[in-house]
Amino acid sequence: MKHLYFTPGPTELYFTVHEHLKNALKEDILSLSHRSDKFKVIYADTVASLRELLGLPEDWHIIFASSATEIWERAVQNLVEKNSFHFVSGAFSGKFAACAKRMGKNVVIEEAPFGQVPNPREAIIPLDSEFISFTHNETSSGACQPLEDFAWVRKNNPNALIAVDGISSLPVITLDYEQIDTAYFTVQKCFGLPAGLSVWLVNNRCLAKAEMLEKKGIVTGSYYSLAQRVELSQQNQTPETPNVLAIYLLGKVAKDMLMKGIDQIQRETNYKAAVMYHLLENTPGISPFIQNPEHRSKTTIVASCEKSTQIIEALKSKKLILGAGFGKYKEHHLRIANFPTHSKEQFEMLADKLSEQLDSDQ
Ligand SMILES: *Cc1c(COP(=O)(O)O)cnc(C)c1O
């Protein structure tokens, strides 16, 4: 039996990926020219399926990059002239703020203690902020920013572009695209695909901002200017040679998820999260790391426990791979991905084995 990965990215492959990979080889996808008509059809198909799955409005644009880390830099390059504001709830949101700082922007941060999310109602957001960044799901801590916060900040900062890192929650969450201007994710989290492709969603306000910066003579990227990207995307093209296989696989998995239905995926996510949090709240020796139940992530469940390394090793011998804590919490936390690829049965089995292990440690 192979191992089953509950790690928060890369994770267990979506269960249809093996079949799609075989077909990709059969169809010569790995040798396909990115200027061919066949590629354009694949590109258009992937974008159309994603648009439907995400419920993305027609006037939003979908473009690709290689990782979320890359999108941070591209977003700063294309959407910020001087002032960037960041809600920070852990390592990933902190890294984005650091990226904007390294790129020479004035960065203002509202940071919550690790394990909590910042409260926008208590934040002082400078009036000249051009860009306000949220991380919906802080994968390092398992803290989840309530979706209502985006609308609240939008209402009070109508001139700023609102950005949402939806990396470890899209497509499982339903975003209100009226309340934000851009969102992004990578495929090795909720889509259960190999790493190497990320997806950037932008509206026309973002495009107008990038064009304005270009008119001012600001470099928005040589091969990655947002304006050029969007223009090429309308011809189902990219400036560089893209990861054709990844775009192909993403389209296939997006279609599989559409067949299943996003409602069903959300219901199963809620069920699996309830199973795991119930275990964490009712088992001696382990507890949910996020204290406020309203801020607990459903897709990245983080548990506090002593000697998490031993638990990880014990479950590994049963072919179940859990994530370690992030950074200095490596030996004190477990991070458990609850992504669409993980079935209810697999999650119940994980809960049983984890429970047995904790009992035997008592
Ligand atoms: C995984 C992750 C990232 C980094 O994604 P890459 O594809 O490795 O660049 C950034 N932010 C969050 C919240 C993540 O979970």
Side-chain angles (χ1 to χ4, degrees), residues 67-69 72 92 135 137-139 165 167-168 186 188-189:
S67 66
T69 307
W72 289 336
F92 289 109
T135 299
N137 208 39
E138 181 44 84
T139 317
D165 171 333
I167 297 179
S168 54
T186 38
Q188 76 272 23
K189 311 273 166 107

Side-chain angles (χ1 to χ4, degrees), residues 149-217:
D149 287 354
F150 310 154
W152 195 88
V153 166
R154 154 72 106 225
K155 202 166 100 223
N156 292 287
N157 303 272
N159 295 325
L161 296 173
I162 310 288
V164 176
D165 171 333
I167 297 179
S168 54
S169 42
L170 282 171
V172 177
I173 50 166
T174 307
L175 283 175
D176 180 353
Y177 294 98
E178 290 292 315
Q179 306 299 340
I180 64 171
D181 298 289
T182 177
Y184 53 93
F185 58 89
T186 38
V187 301
Q188 76 272 23
K189 311 273 166 107
C190 290
F191 280 87
L193 284 163
L197 182 72
S198 60
V199 177
W200 191 11
L201 315 172
V202 292
N203 69 7
N204 284 320
R205 284 182 84 203
C206 292
L207 197 55
K209 175 84 187 212
E211 284 167 349
M212 191 268 276
L213 295 186
E214 275 186 35
K215 278 207 192 87
K216 282 190 167 184

Side-chain angles (χ1 to χ4, degrees), residues 31 104 111 122 221 253 257 262 269 327:
S31 306
E111 186 166 7
E122 287 168 4
V253 168
M257 288 184 174
I262 206 71
T269 304

Side-chain angles (χ1 to χ4, degrees), residues 34-79:
H34 58 299
R35 301 298 173 220
S36 64
D37 287 340
K38 187 168 172 186
F39 171 76
K40 290 179 191 168
V41 170
I42 291 170
Y43 188 107
D45 210 45
T46 297
V47 167
S49 300
L50 269 182
R51 192 179 289 284
E52 192 182 343
L53 185 68
L54 298 166
L56 193 70
E58 275 305 314
D59 59 352
W60 276 60
H61 310 282
I62 296 178
I63 55 179
F64 297 111
S66 64
S67 66
T69 307
E70 182 185 8
I71 292 177
W72 289 336
E73 185 167 308
R74 302 306 175 202
V76 173
Q77 246 172 354
N78 281 278
L79 304 177

